[in-house]
Amino acid sequence: MAAAPTTTPVAVSPATAPPATGVASRTTWRGHLLRLPFYLLSLTMIAPFYWMLITVFKPVTEIGRQPPSFVPEHPTLNNFYDPGYSPARVNPGHLQGIFQRFQVDFGFGRFMFNSLVITVAITVGSLLVASLAAYVITKHRVPGRRLIFLVIVASMMVPWQTTLVPNYVIMRNLGWLDTYQGYIIPALAKAFVLFFLVQFLHSIPDELIQAARVDGAGEWRIWWRIVLPLLRPALAAMSIFVVLAEWNNFLWPLIIVQSDEMANIPVALARLNSYFPGAQHEGAIMAGGLLASLPSIAFFLAFQRYFTRGIVLSGLKG
């Protein structure tokens, strides 16, 4: 009868031994304690958004109830559009939804369309203008280019509110008040975007541009076929800043907008709050705020990886 095989215990070195359960538990709790301020800060940012979200789905009679409820007891979509509302019959339980408040074509959708057109036009236009200027400053020996760049960077220290009156006078003289071009043209020049792209372009070898010129490529072709593709991470990162700023822009549109038809979402929400004060109208106002915030959140979630990559690559440049 064969003898049973014997097994030799394998010694585990201290370096490869798994950590004790108690040590791992203490490390985990220590990490949570260190991150506690960030958790509390995130709660202060999430709480208003949660309150807006639950108010949107509350009926009018539940919105003003005291003490307030933190979960809608009878969820409804009437704050967007209330089919039971009738201007001929006053009913405190049925008020105008957000899409019934303004007497313009498509209601609140008109303001969302205005914000979308303005934001897309300014984002694309400002990035193209800044990329062209950055290409000239970094890859061309233009006389005085360093001084021009310093002046542009110095303009970032001047509060943009100081340009409101001159820009308004220019728009009025051109007849561009209450027009899309009045929104878009003054916002195309963005010094911060130019500064960011200039720093990014310094990481692109000059030999690459020189090789394209030797092959017979013109400057426009070099910019379109070589520079812009290489700038894609930086452009994506800057697009987040520009989109969020222009989507939420309030002061300049408030100055040049004279009719409801040309208002963007922030101006429309401000007018909505002034036209319909009172707690019973909070549901429609919150519905407008929710519709205004969802596109910017979706855009950031879609482009956040480009944002991180653009920031990292610009920080690693020589």
Side-chain angles (χ1 to χ4, degrees):
M1 184 175 181
T6 59
T7 58
T8 304
V10 179
V12 180
S13 63
T16 59
T21 305
V23 176
S25 178
R26 287 196 299 271
T27 303
T28 302
W29 279 106
R30 185 180 303 173
H32 285 304
L33 288 176
L34 291 176
R35 291 191 292 268
L36 182 60
F38 298 99
Y39 295 151
L40 296 176
L41 180 61
S42 63
L43 285 177
T44 60
M45 300 174 64
I46 295 174
F49 188 83
Y50 174 75
W51 187 259
M52 176 181 66
L53 187 63
I54 63 174
T55 304
V56 166
F57 298 102
K58 288 182 179 181
V60 176
T61 55
E62 189 179 343
I63 291 176
R65 182 185 302 173
Q66 294 296 334
S69 59
F70 293 93
V71 177
E73 298 178 3
H74 305 284
T76 180
L77 296 176
N78 289 347
N79 291 316
F80 295 98
Y81 186 90
D82 191 350
Y85 168 77
S86 175
R89 185 178 68 256
V90 178
N91 187 341
H94 292 279
L95 299 176
Q96 295 166 297
I98 186 62
F99 288 100
Q100 299 167 288
R101 296 274 168 155
F102 292 91
Q103 301 301 318
V104 296
D105 294 338
F106 307 107
F108 195 78
R110 169 72 183 189
F111 311 131
M112 298 189 69
F113 174 78
N114 290 339
S115 292
L116 180 64
V117 170
I118 294 164
T119 301
V120 171
I122 292 177
T123 302
V124 175
S126 62
L127 292 180
L128 290 179
V129 170
S131 63
L132 274 171
Y135 171 56
V136 172
I137 290 174
T138 56
K139 303 304 179 183
H140 289 76
R141 298 188 179 277
V142 179
R145 61 173 182 169
R146 187 177 298 274
L147 177 61
I148 295 174
F149 180 64
L150 290 177
V151 171
I152 294 174
V153 173
S155 67
M156 297 169 56
M157 306 177 192
V158 180
W160 68 271
Q161 290 85 352
T162 59
T163 64
L164 288 176
V165 175
N167 280 336
Y168 175 82
V169 174
I170 295 174
M171 295 300 105
R172 184 193 61 189
N173 294 339
L174 292 175
W176 286 358
L177 295 179
D178 211 31
T179 62
Y180 284 123
Q181 55 266 34
Y183 270 110
I184 297 169
I185 300 301
L188 293 182
K190 297 188 179 298
F192 175 71
V193 177
L194 173 63
F195 174 77
F196 187 88
L197 296 183
V198 165
Q199 305 310 309
F200 194 92
L201 272 174
H202 279 306
S203 62
I204 298 177
D206 293 341
E207 291 77 11
L208 183 62
I209 307 298
Q210 295 296 338
R213 290 171 180 162
V214 170
D215 290 339
E219 297 300 326
W220 286 101
R221 186 176 182 184
I222 293 174
W223 169 73
W224 182 257
R225 300 295 297 272
I226 297 177
V227 175
L228 278 184
L230 294 175
L231 280 177
R232 190 177 301 167
L235 293 175
M238 286 295 97
S239 67
I240 294 180
F241 292 105
V242 178
V243 166
L244 295 181
E246 297 303 330
W247 184 266
N248 300 313
N249 193 7
F250 172 72
L251 186 55
W252 176 246
L254 180 66
I255 292 176
I256 67 168
V257 167
Q258 300 174 346
S259 64
D260 287 341
E261 287 77 8
M262 290 303 301
N264 64 347
I265 289 181
V267 173
L269 290 178
R271 292 180 177 178
L272 181 66
N273 195 26
S274 61
Y275 293 165
F276 304 96
Q280 66 272 22
H281 298 282
E282 286 183 4
I285 297 175
M286 293 296 184
L290 179 64
L291 293 175
S293 60
L294 289 180
S296 58
I297 294 174
F299 182 84
F300 177 79
L301 293 178
F303 284 86
Q304 61 177 342
R305 64 188 183 97
Y306 295 105
F307 170 77
T308 305
R309 183 184 178 192
I311 295 296
V312 170
L313 290 179
S314 64
L316 293 178
K317 65 135 186 100

